[in-house]
Amino acid sequence: MSSARPSRLFRNKSAKIAAIPMIVTALFVFVGGTVWTIVYSFTKSGLLPRLKWVGLDQYERLWSTRKWLVSIENLAIYGFCTLVLVFVIGFILAALIDQKIRFENTIRTVILYPYALSFVVTGLVWQWILNPEFGVQKIVRSWGWESFQFDPLYTADIAIYGVLIAGLWQGSGLVMVLMLAGLRGIDQDVWKAARIDGIPAWKTYLFIVIPMMRPVFITTLVLVVTGIVKIYDLIVAQTGGGPGIATEVPAKYVYDSMFRANNLGQGFAASTMMLLTVALIVIPWAILEFGGSRNRD
Amino acid sequence: MNWAKNLLAATAIAAASSTSATELEVMHWWTSGGEAAAVGELAKAFNASGHTWVDAAIAGGEPARAVMVSRLTGGDPMGAFQFNHGRQAEELIEAGLLRDITDIAEAEGWKDIVNPSSLLDSCTVDGRIYCAPVNIHSWQWLWLSHKAYKDAGIEVPANWDEFVAAAPKLEEAGLVPLAMGQQGWQQSGLFNVLMAALVPNDVFLSVYGDKSAEVAGGEAVARVFKAAADARAMASKSTVQNWNDATNLVITGKAGGQIMGDWAQGEFAVAEQVAGEDYSCLPGLGVTQLLSTGGDAFYFPVLSDDEQTAAQTELAALMLKPATQVAFNLKKGSLPVRGDIDLSSANDCMQKGLALLADGALLPDTNQLITPDTNNQINTLFVEFFADASMSIEDAQAEFVSIISSAE
């Protein structure tokens, strides 16, 4: 009769053993790699990493480079617009599909389909659609509206919105599906109760359903935000950072510094800044989200 | 991982010793029509020696260099690879990744045959030779389409100023005066050509050689920026990306001219155009007759396999043999690295180049003077300058001065 309570460490032994490879990977690859990158961002590494300390030189150069400042600005515009629009569009589409319409499966598949395409394909497709010589502009002009002009990718000031259109087209389907799953998880009794009380549908969505879908929103938010920060392939495929440097983004700056300019130090400094930005957003949110829930247990 | 590598190496050795020929993977970025034909000549010569040339071409210099460097630093070296000689390979040599081929160079007497000797100097670090130069490429050419000027009803220009003056007529005829691919290296290359051709050599050398911020901000360079603004206006309708697509606009007579290195000649040759009849070439833009001596070279990574190393030796020696040099350079449109071979079969434009080479009207290439990092900053500046017509000459020059003053 072993009465001694097993120590906490050995509870769920097999689960913990199974998790070891992932823990090791996370520690060495992610944490180790991150620390290594930060350390080398203070060095003058060129083509190969070298421990030649230069203090904050790389960061000073980074923040005085116009290409980097433009990249940050673009990421802010793209990120904010994507975040807002993808949620609005995704939720409205999900709410519409949730009205027990006919051919729901077909419509859902059609809307989700763009997500199955890679960003490279998406970028190329939209590059063609937005090309004034054979895309939307040409079609509208051939209908007779001769002065119609729509060439965002060739106008530096609005080129990033051309990329945004492609990003929304690709990302909205996923948000819609997640939202739809959330909506289906809402108990039908809630709807019945709201109807009996005479609350209009839009109010029910806004004040009852959406707050109840909080977990779904959080998951979606994490997916969407990580997608935004690492945006690179869409830009490369669609605009290559052009016209000029109008659609440069931080991830592309990192790549260009490391592999085109043979300046690893500069690339590391830029990626450290990216990490810092993400950390500034994620850490307070994580504390709010998970720090609070522990007390509730 | 190690046992897998050993196993692979063992199989490779077994495979290599069972046949006498050795496979050597050669990486390069020669993918356009004329370039591919030229590299085919090298492969043919190497295969004739009993070995096998395994072609690994990657389109575009920048992505190709990225792949090469990551394979070298990742411990998976190829047999040989193309690079622009100059400062790009400096760090790879310092890290001991590249094979010292001084013994081959001495055995073949490269010191005596390579002309101009600066080509070999670019391959030399601390008195040791690390690369085999295969050709001389110069940037300073203006390619003109006879058809375009005939269609516009005017004479083919003979220098840069006439070329600029002729632009309105071409535009009236619905043609693009200047064809230019929208890529940084082409745009900054064009600027460097203007710099080499329109101002005295010592200005070029003190900007790129001595990195003098004072000269870079001076009057002479301001004139170059003004010419660049002219070029920007003339190329505003040129929307192609790749250099050979831009050359194609000249070949088909849709554009008046293009400023591009002598590798463009390979494209004219593939299109079966005749120099002097279908197109003209103006070295130094017809203003200052000179050429820069950049070029391509092959580097040889340090390999552990003896047979492959021996094959490297053969390949390196082969690349500078007279027969290979002639066959390769005629296809490539570049000039041979040795002055002692007969190139009478070369066309009009190549003869002009050879004459300049013989006269010693030469400048070092920017790749030999500035680091890839500085080069990339200059590329970014000109990508911006050429895309944004509202960027003023003064702003661009100020940015240029700050890049030059922080360059090493």
Side-chain angles (χ1 to χ4, degrees):
Chain A
M1 238 185 229
S2 62
S3 58
R5 221 177 135 202
S7 92
R8 268 181 68 100
L9 193 65
F10 294 105
R11 238 191 289 164
N12 297 332
K13 220 186 291 169
S14 49
K16 278 176 182 158
I17 289 170
I20 283 175
M22 193 55 218
I23 293 170
V24 171
T25 314
L27 276 183
F28 284 88
V29 179
F30 297 136
V31 179
T34 307
V35 171
W36 190 91
T37 303
I38 295 174
V39 168
Y40 275 86
S41 74
F42 297 105
T43 68
K44 196 173 147 51
S45 296
L47 183 63
L48 306 169
R50 282 188 297 198
L51 276 174
K52 209 191 238 172
W53 303 103
V54 290
L56 288 170
D57 279 10
Q58 298 286 10
Y59 291 90
E60 272 169 30
R61 176 168 155 197
L62 184 68
W63 286 103
S64 60
T65 305
R66 263 173 54 84
K67 187 171 159 187
W68 173 254
L69 299 176
V70 170
S71 302
I72 293 284
E73 192 189 320
N74 280 338
L75 186 65
I77 296 173
Y78 176 85
F80 179 76
C81 295
T82 306
L83 207 56
V84 172
L85 291 175
V86 98
F87 269 89
V88 171
I89 295 172
F91 188 81
I92 291 177
L93 285 175
L96 291 176
I97 284 189
D98 198 33
Q99 306 305 311
K100 303 197 173 64
I101 53 167
R102 268 211 269 177
F103 307 118
E104 187 200 310
N105 281 336
T106 317
I107 293 173
R108 205 176 50 204
T109 309
V110 168
I111 297 178
L112 185 61
Y113 224 92
Y115 191 70
L117 300 178
S118 74
F119 263 135
V120 175
V121 177
T122 309
L124 282 177
V125 167
W126 280 91
Q127 188 189 55
W128 291 332
I129 294 177
L130 298 177
N131 185 314
E133 314 228 331
F134 38 77
V136 177
Q137 180 175 311
K138 167 127 195 260
I139 294 169
V140 174
R141 283 190 182 179
S142 72
W143 290 340
W145 185 358
E146 293 291 338
S147 63
F148 179 78
Q149 199 173 357
F150 186 66
D151 54 351
L153 294 185
Y154 292 83
T155 316
D157 295 339
I158 55 167
I160 192 69
Y161 297 101
V163 178
L164 179 68
I165 295 173
L168 288 177
W169 178 79
Q170 214 245 12
S172 298
L174 176 75
V175 176
M176 177 209 73
V177 171
L178 289 168
M179 294 290 161
L180 191 58
L183 285 173
R184 293 282 151 84
I186 302 287
D187 198 330
Q188 284 302 313
D189 292 344
V190 173
W191 281 106
K192 285 176 194 154
R195 212 165 297 144
I196 290 167
D197 287 345
I199 304 171
W202 67 269
K203 267 192 173 168
T204 316
Y205 272 120
L206 219 53
F207 298 112
I208 302 171
V209 174
I210 291 182
M212 287 176 76
M213 282 168 63
R214 188 182 145 96
V216 177
F217 271 87
I218 301 289
T219 312
T220 316
L221 187 74
V222 172
L223 285 176
V224 172
V225 170
T226 49
I228 289 170
V229 175
K230 68 184 184 192
I231 181 163
Y232 168 78
D233 30 11
L234 182 60
I235 299 283
V236 170
Q238 203 181 353
T239 66
I245 55 169
T247 53
E248 292 286 342
V249 286
K252 185 164 176 294
Y253 185 92
V254 172
Y255 178 87
D256 286 351
S257 306
M258 287 167 69
F259 300 110
R260 288 190 169 178
N262 294 353
N263 190 341
L264 286 179
Q266 183 67 195
F268 291 154
S271 40
T272 307
M273 288 317 302
M274 283 174 74
L275 177 72
L276 197 67
T277 322
V278 175
L280 281 178
I281 299 170
V282 170
I283 292 176
W285 166 77
I287 291 172
L288 274 178
E289 188 62 28
F290 300 113
S293 68
R294 196 170 298 152
N295 300 341
R296 258 181 265 146
D297 282 343
Chain B
M1 266 326 276
N2 241 339
W3 63 268
K5 228 185 227 163
N6 287 337
L7 190 68
L8 274 177
T11 355
I13 289 168
S17 48
S18 60
T19 58
S20 63
T22 312
E23 288 191 351
L24 207 59
E25 184 185 8
V26 186
M27 290 185 98
H28 57 88
W29 59 84
W30 287 327
T31 49
S32 82
E35 291 174 335
V39 81
E41 292 293 334
L42 288 182
K44 212 161 74 187
F46 186 60
N47 289 339
S49 74
H51 298 293
T52 311
W53 170 291
V54 180
D55 200 72
I58 298 170
E62 278 168 356
R65 282 191 288 271
V67 173
M68 289 168 187
V69 169
S70 66
R71 279 196 51 184
L72 283 168
T73 51
D76 177 25
M78 60 304 262
F81 65 100
Q82 172 217 354
F83 239 50
N84 297 119
H85 41 199
R87 302 187 58 176
Q88 289 175 346
E90 265 173 18
E91 281 189 55
L92 293 172
I93 294 172
E94 277 170 34
L97 291 166
L98 301 183
R99 187 181 158 198
D100 178 351
I101 56 170
T102 314
D103 49 335
I104 307 171
E106 277 168 4
E108 297 285 321
W110 286 0
K111 263 216 169 68
D112 305 319
I113 56 173
V114 172
N115 172 53
S117 58
S118 66
L119 288 177
L120 209 54
D121 294 344
S122 311
C123 284
T124 310
V125 174
D126 296 331
R128 310 298 292 173
I129 294 168
Y130 290 90
C131 65
V134 290
N135 60 3
I136 302 169
H137 268 308
S138 48
W139 250 105
Q140 291 71 18
W141 297 84
L142 176 58
W143 306 93
L144 296 165
S145 163
H146 285 198
K147 181 173 181 291
Y149 285 97
K150 213 175 109 209
D151 290 353
I154 44 174
E155 285 286 302
V156 178
N159 60 47
W160 172 254
D161 292 326
E162 287 182 32
F163 179 64
V164 176
K169 289 269 187 209
L170 286 179
E171 274 178 345
E172 272 172 36
L175 302 170
V176 180
L178 176 66
M180 182 178 69
Q182 307 289 323
Q183 288 171 345
W185 68 271
Q186 298 179 45
Q187 293 161 330
S188 64
L190 182 142
F191 174 79
N192 288 335
V193 171
L194 294 174
M195 177 101 110
L198 300 183
V199 296
N201 285 357
D202 54 333
V203 174
F204 183 90
L205 289 175
S206 44
V207 171
Y208 287 122
D210 309 332
K211 280 87 184 172
S212 158
E214 202 183 318
V215 179
E219 278 292 313
V221 176
R223 192 180 151 218
V224 180
F225 270 95
K226 215 185 140 290
D230 289 339
R232 177 169 69 184
M234 289 163 72
S236 60
K237 297 248 169 56
S238 167
T239 51
V240 292
Q241 290 287 327
N242 295 318
W243 68 267
N244 46 335
D245 296 336
T247 310
N248 199 44
L249 290 178
V250 179
I251 291 174
T252 52
K254 288 186 189 129
Q258 182 192 16
I259 291 181
M260 187 43 61
D262 52 13
W263 49 91
Q265 183 155 280
E267 300 300 300
F268 286 100
V270 169
E272 295 182 347
Q273 294 221 326
V274 181
E277 280 176 36
D278 302 311
Y279 68 98
S280 289
C281 50
L282 300 176
L285 308 183
V287 182
T288 317
Q289 300 276 334
L290 56 76
L291 298 178
S292 67
T293 53
D296 299 301
F298 276 86
Y299 286 81
F300 301 88
V302 176
L303 297 178
S304 51
D305 182 63
D306 284 342
E307 295 205 18
Q308 292 217 314
T309 309
Q312 280 182 336
T313 309
E314 277 195 50
L315 180 61
L318 185 76
M319 280 173 169
L320 272 85
K321 294 273 189 246
T324 333
Q325 279 287 308
V326 172
F328 172 76
N329 284 306
L330 283 180
K331 288 265 166 67
K332 186 84 163 64
S334 52
L335 302 176
V337 294
R338 46 195 297 169
D340 59 347
I341 50 177
D342 177 35
L343 266 186
S344 49
S345 52
N347 68 14
D348 211 25
C349 289
M350 276 178 92
Q351 297 293 1
K352 283 189 198 176
L354 286 168
L356 289 174
L357 198 59
D359 289 349
L362 304 171
L363 264 186
D365 189 67
T366 45
N367 277 331
Q368 292 162 341
L369 298 171
I370 57 175
T371 59
D373 189 23
T374 310
N375 204 3
N376 188 57
Q377 285 177 293
I378 296 176
N379 283 356
T380 308
L381 168 62
F382 285 103
V383 163
E384 221 185 327
F385 181 76
F386 279 102
D388 181 2
S390 67
M391 187 176 192
S392 73
I393 301 172
E394 291 76 25
D395 288 352
Q397 192 174 1
E399 178 77 29
F400 183 67
V401 171
S402 90
I403 293 171
I404 290 297
S405 60
S406 66
E408 11 185 305

PDB file of all heavy atoms in Angstrom, chain A residues 273-292:
ATOM      1  N   MET A 273      14.799  44.387 -33.477  1.00  0.00           N
ATOM      2  CA  MET A 273      13.762  45.413 -33.342  1.00  0.00           C
ATOM      3  C   MET A 273      12.388  44.825 -33.596  1.00  0.00           C
ATOM      4  O   MET A 273      11.415  45.162 -32.917  1.00  0.00           O
ATOM      5  CB  MET A 273      14.007  46.569 -34.317  1.00  0.00           C
ATOM      6  CG  MET A 273      15.167  47.476 -34.008  1.00  0.00           C
ATOM      7  SD  MET A 273      15.363  47.955 -32.298  1.00  0.00           S
ATOM      8  CE  MET A 273      13.813  48.729 -31.965  1.00  0.00           C
ATOM      9  N   MET A 274      12.300  43.921 -34.575  1.00  0.00           N
ATOM     10  CA  MET A 274      11.008  43.272 -34.848  1.00  0.00           C
ATOM     11  C   MET A 274      10.545  42.473 -33.635  1.00  0.00           C
ATOM     12  O   MET A 274       9.380  42.517 -33.250  1.00  0.00           O
ATOM     13  CB  MET A 274      11.121  42.333 -36.055  1.00  0.00           C
ATOM     14  CG  MET A 274      11.120  43.052 -37.389  1.00  0.00           C
ATOM     15  SD  MET A 274      11.424  41.903 -38.738  1.00  0.00           S
ATOM     16  CE  MET A 274       9.846  41.062 -38.815  1.00  0.00           C
ATOM     17  N   LEU A 275      11.496  41.741 -33.049  1.00  0.00           N
ATOM     18  CA  LEU A 275      11.163  40.930 -31.873  1.00  0.00           C
ATOM     19  C   LEU A 275      10.681  41.822 -30.729  1.00  0.00           C
ATOM     20  O   LEU A 275       9.685  41.521 -30.061  1.00  0.00           O
ATOM     21  CB  LEU A 275      12.401  40.136 -31.435  1.00  0.00           C
ATOM     22  CG  LEU A 275      12.216  39.308 -30.173  1.00  0.00           C
ATOM     23  CD1 LEU A 275      11.330  38.113 -30.468  1.00  0.00           C
ATOM     24  CD2 LEU A 275      13.544  38.850 -29.623  1.00  0.00           C
ATOM     25  N   LEU A 276      11.388  42.938 -30.563  1.00  0.00           N
ATOM     26  CA  LEU A 276      11.049  43.860 -29.485  1.00  0.00           C
ATOM     27  C   LEU A 276       9.624  44.400 -29.668  1.00  0.00           C
ATOM     28  O   LEU A 276       8.845  44.470 -28.717  1.00  0.00           O
ATOM     29  CB  LEU A 276      12.055  45.016 -29.497  1.00  0.00           C
ATOM     30  CG  LEU A 276      12.123  45.849 -28.228  1.00  0.00           C
ATOM     31  CD1 LEU A 276      12.684  45.009 -27.099  1.00  0.00           C
ATOM     32  CD2 LEU A 276      13.006  47.074 -28.458  1.00  0.00           C
ATOM     33  N   THR A 277       9.298  44.744 -30.910  1.00  0.00           N
ATOM     34  CA  THR A 277       7.951  45.254 -31.203  1.00  0.00           C
ATOM     35  C   THR A 277       6.896  44.217 -30.844  1.00  0.00           C
ATOM     36  O   THR A 277       5.896  44.527 -30.185  1.00  0.00           O
ATOM     37  CB  THR A 277       7.825  45.592 -32.705  1.00  0.00           C
ATOM     38  OG1 THR A 277       9.046  46.156 -33.128  1.00  0.00           O
ATOM     39  CG2 THR A 277       6.685  46.530 -32.954  1.00  0.00           C
ATOM     40  N   VAL A 278       7.138  42.985 -31.281  1.00  0.00           N
ATOM     41  CA  VAL A 278       6.176  41.924 -30.996  1.00  0.00           C
ATOM     42  C   VAL A 278       6.064  41.722 -29.485  1.00  0.00           C
ATOM     43  O   VAL A 278       4.973  41.605 -28.936  1.00  0.00           O
ATOM     44  CB  VAL A 278       6.603  40.618 -31.686  1.00  0.00           C
ATOM     45  CG1 VAL A 278       5.677  39.485 -31.299  1.00  0.00           C
ATOM     46  CG2 VAL A 278       6.597  40.794 -33.186  1.00  0.00           C
ATOM     47  N   ALA A 279       7.220  41.728 -28.813  1.00  0.00           N
ATOM     48  CA  ALA A 279       7.216  41.519 -27.364  1.00  0.00           C
ATOM     49  C   ALA A 279       6.426  42.610 -26.658  1.00  0.00           C
ATOM     50  O   ALA A 279       5.679  42.334 -25.718  1.00  0.00           O
ATOM     51  CB  ALA A 279       8.654  41.471 -26.842  1.00  0.00           C
ATOM     52  N   LEU A 280       6.591  43.844 -27.123  1.00  0.00           N
ATOM     53  CA  LEU A 280       5.872  44.955 -26.499  1.00  0.00           C
ATOM     54  C   LEU A 280       4.370  44.781 -26.606  1.00  0.00           C
ATOM     55  O   LEU A 280       3.618  45.213 -25.748  1.00  0.00           O
ATOM     56  CB  LEU A 280       6.279  46.282 -27.155  1.00  0.00           C
ATOM     57  CG  LEU A 280       7.620  46.857 -26.693  1.00  0.00           C
ATOM     58  CD1 LEU A 280       7.937  48.131 -27.440  1.00  0.00           C
ATOM     59  CD2 LEU A 280       7.586  47.103 -25.188  1.00  0.00           C
ATOM     60  N   ILE A 281       3.914  44.140 -27.689  1.00  0.00           N
ATOM     61  CA  ILE A 281       2.472  43.924 -27.844  1.00  0.00           C
ATOM     62  C   ILE A 281       2.029  42.669 -27.106  1.00  0.00           C
ATOM     63  O   ILE A 281       1.028  42.658 -26.401  1.00  0.00           O
ATOM     64  CB  ILE A 281       2.109  43.797 -29.345  1.00  0.00           C
ATOM     65  CG1 ILE A 281       2.489  45.084 -30.072  1.00  0.00           C
ATOM     66  CG2 ILE A 281       0.626  43.488 -29.516  1.00  0.00           C
ATOM     67  CD1 ILE A 281       2.401  44.976 -31.571  1.00  0.00           C
ATOM     68  N   VAL A 282       2.808  41.595 -27.258  1.00  0.00           N
ATOM     69  CA  VAL A 282       2.358  40.289 -26.791  1.00  0.00           C
ATOM     70  C   VAL A 282       2.444  40.149 -25.270  1.00  0.00           C
ATOM     71  O   VAL A 282       1.534  39.619 -24.644  1.00  0.00           O
ATOM     72  CB  VAL A 282       3.147  39.167 -27.495  1.00  0.00           C
ATOM     73  CG1 VAL A 282       2.857  37.824 -26.852  1.00  0.00           C
ATOM     74  CG2 VAL A 282       2.791  39.138 -28.967  1.00  0.00           C
ATOM     75  N   ILE A 283       3.549  40.653 -24.676  1.00  0.00           N
ATOM     76  CA  ILE A 283       3.739  40.405 -23.238  1.00  0.00           C
ATOM     77  C   ILE A 283       2.624  41.026 -22.377  1.00  0.00           C
ATOM     78  O   ILE A 283       2.019  40.324 -21.566  1.00  0.00           O
ATOM     79  CB  ILE A 283       5.143  40.840 -22.783  1.00  0.00           C
ATOM     80  CG1 ILE A 283       6.168  39.893 -23.416  1.00  0.00           C
ATOM     81  CG2 ILE A 283       5.264  40.827 -21.261  1.00  0.00           C
ATOM     82  CD1 ILE A 283       7.608  40.252 -23.150  1.00  0.00           C
ATOM     83  N   PRO A 284       2.293  42.319 -22.567  1.00  0.00           N
ATOM     84  CA  PRO A 284       1.189  42.867 -21.757  1.00  0.00           C
ATOM     85  C   PRO A 284      -0.109  42.106 -21.970  1.00  0.00           C
ATOM     86  O   PRO A 284      -0.846  41.809 -21.014  1.00  0.00           O
ATOM     87  CB  PRO A 284       1.048  44.297 -22.282  1.00  0.00           C
ATOM     88  CG  PRO A 284       2.322  44.606 -22.959  1.00  0.00           C
ATOM     89  CD  PRO A 284       2.850  43.325 -23.467  1.00  0.00           C
ATOM     90  N   TRP A 285      -0.341  41.725 -23.238  1.00  0.00           N
ATOM     91  CA  TRP A 285      -1.570  40.996 -23.538  1.00  0.00           C
ATOM     92  C   TRP A 285      -1.570  39.643 -22.840  1.00  0.00           C
ATOM     93  O   TRP A 285      -2.568  39.219 -22.250  1.00  0.00           O
ATOM     94  CB  TRP A 285      -1.708  40.820 -25.050  1.00  0.00           C
ATOM     95  CG  TRP A 285      -2.732  39.814 -25.429  1.00  0.00           C
ATOM     96  CD1 TRP A 285      -4.081  39.986 -25.428  1.00  0.00           C
ATOM     97  CD2 TRP A 285      -2.494  38.459 -25.802  1.00  0.00           C
ATOM     98  NE1 TRP A 285      -4.697  38.820 -25.790  1.00  0.00           N
ATOM     99  CE2 TRP A 285      -3.737  37.872 -26.028  1.00  0.00           C
ATOM    100  CE3 TRP A 285      -1.343  37.683 -25.972  1.00  0.00           C
ATOM    101  CZ2 TRP A 285      -3.877  36.549 -26.420  1.00  0.00           C
ATOM    102  CZ3 TRP A 285      -1.474  36.374 -26.365  1.00  0.00           C
ATOM    103  CH2 TRP A 285      -2.734  35.811 -26.584  1.00  0.00           C
ATOM    104  N   ALA A 286      -0.422  38.947 -22.868  1.00  0.00           N
ATOM    105  CA  ALA A 286      -0.338  37.620 -22.259  1.00  0.00           C
ATOM    106  C   ALA A 286      -0.548  37.708 -20.756  1.00  0.00           C
ATOM    107  O   ALA A 286      -1.210  36.860 -20.151  1.00  0.00           O
ATOM    108  CB  ALA A 286       1.029  36.992 -22.573  1.00  0.00           C
ATOM    109  N   ILE A 287       0.007  38.778 -20.157  1.00  0.00           N
ATOM    110  CA  ILE A 287      -0.165  38.944 -18.716  1.00  0.00           C
ATOM    111  C   ILE A 287      -1.642  39.148 -18.384  1.00  0.00           C
ATOM    112  O   ILE A 287      -2.199  38.505 -17.492  1.00  0.00           O
ATOM    113  CB  ILE A 287       0.683  40.133 -18.204  1.00  0.00           C
ATOM    114  CG1 ILE A 287       2.173  39.762 -18.289  1.00  0.00           C
ATOM    115  CG2 ILE A 287       0.307  40.486 -16.772  1.00  0.00           C
ATOM    116  CD1 ILE A 287       3.106  40.904 -18.003  1.00  0.00           C
ATOM    117  N   LEU A 288      -2.284  40.006 -19.176  1.00  0.00           N
ATOM    118  CA  LEU A 288      -3.712  40.253 -18.964  1.00  0.00           C
ATOM    119  C   LEU A 288      -4.519  38.980 -19.149  1.00  0.00           C
ATOM    120  O   LEU A 288      -5.398  38.662 -18.344  1.00  0.00           O
ATOM    121  CB  LEU A 288      -4.210  41.294 -19.966  1.00  0.00           C
ATOM    122  CG  LEU A 288      -4.040  42.751 -19.568  1.00  0.00           C
ATOM    123  CD1 LEU A 288      -4.540  43.644 -20.685  1.00  0.00           C
ATOM    124  CD2 LEU A 288      -4.815  43.035 -18.279  1.00  0.00           C
ATOM    125  N   GLU A 289      -4.204  38.243 -20.207  1.00  0.00           N
ATOM    126  CA  GLU A 289      -5.003  37.105 -20.600  1.00  0.00           C
ATOM    127  C   GLU A 289      -4.808  35.919 -19.652  1.00  0.00           C
ATOM    128  O   GLU A 289      -5.750  35.369 -19.128  1.00  0.00           O
ATOM    129  CB  GLU A 289      -4.643  36.719 -22.036  1.00  0.00           C
ATOM    130  CG  GLU A 289      -5.543  35.669 -22.631  1.00  0.00           C
ATOM    131  CD  GLU A 289      -6.989  36.128 -22.718  1.00  0.00           C
ATOM    132  OE1 GLU A 289      -7.211  37.348 -22.829  1.00  0.00           O
ATOM    133  OE2 GLU A 289      -7.886  35.268 -22.655  1.00  0.00           O
ATOM    134  N   PHE A 290      -3.531  35.555 -19.453  1.00  0.00           N
ATOM    135  CA  PHE A 290      -3.274  34.344 -18.693  1.00  0.00           C
ATOM    136  C   PHE A 290      -3.034  34.627 -17.210  1.00  0.00           C
ATOM    137  O   PHE A 290      -3.349  33.811 -16.369  1.00  0.00           O
ATOM    138  CB  PHE A 290      -2.083  33.591 -19.299  1.00  0.00           C
ATOM    139  CG  PHE A 290      -2.328  33.205 -20.720  1.00  0.00           C
ATOM    140  CD1 PHE A 290      -1.592  33.783 -21.748  1.00  0.00           C
ATOM    141  CD2 PHE A 290      -3.322  32.293 -21.038  1.00  0.00           C
ATOM    142  CE1 PHE A 290      -1.844  33.428 -23.061  1.00  0.00           C
ATOM    143  CE2 PHE A 290      -3.571  31.940 -22.358  1.00  0.00           C
ATOM    144  CZ  PHE A 290      -2.824  32.516 -23.374  1.00  0.00           C
ATOM    145  N   GLY A 291      -2.469  35.795 -16.924  1.00  0.00           N
ATOM    146  CA  GLY A 291      -2.242  36.144 -15.517  1.00  0.00           C
ATOM    147  C   GLY A 291      -3.558  36.207 -14.759  1.00  0.00           C
ATOM    148  O   GLY A 291      -3.666  35.755 -13.629  1.00  0.00           O
ATOM    149  N   GLY A 292      -4.585  36.759 -15.417  1.00  0.00           N
ATOM    150  CA  GLY A 292      -5.886  36.905 -14.777  1.00  0.00           C
ATOM    151  C   GLY A 292      -6.589  35.577 -14.550  1.00  0.00           C
ATOM    152  O   GLY A 292      -7.165  35.336 -13.506  1.00  0.00           O
TER     153      GLY A 292
END
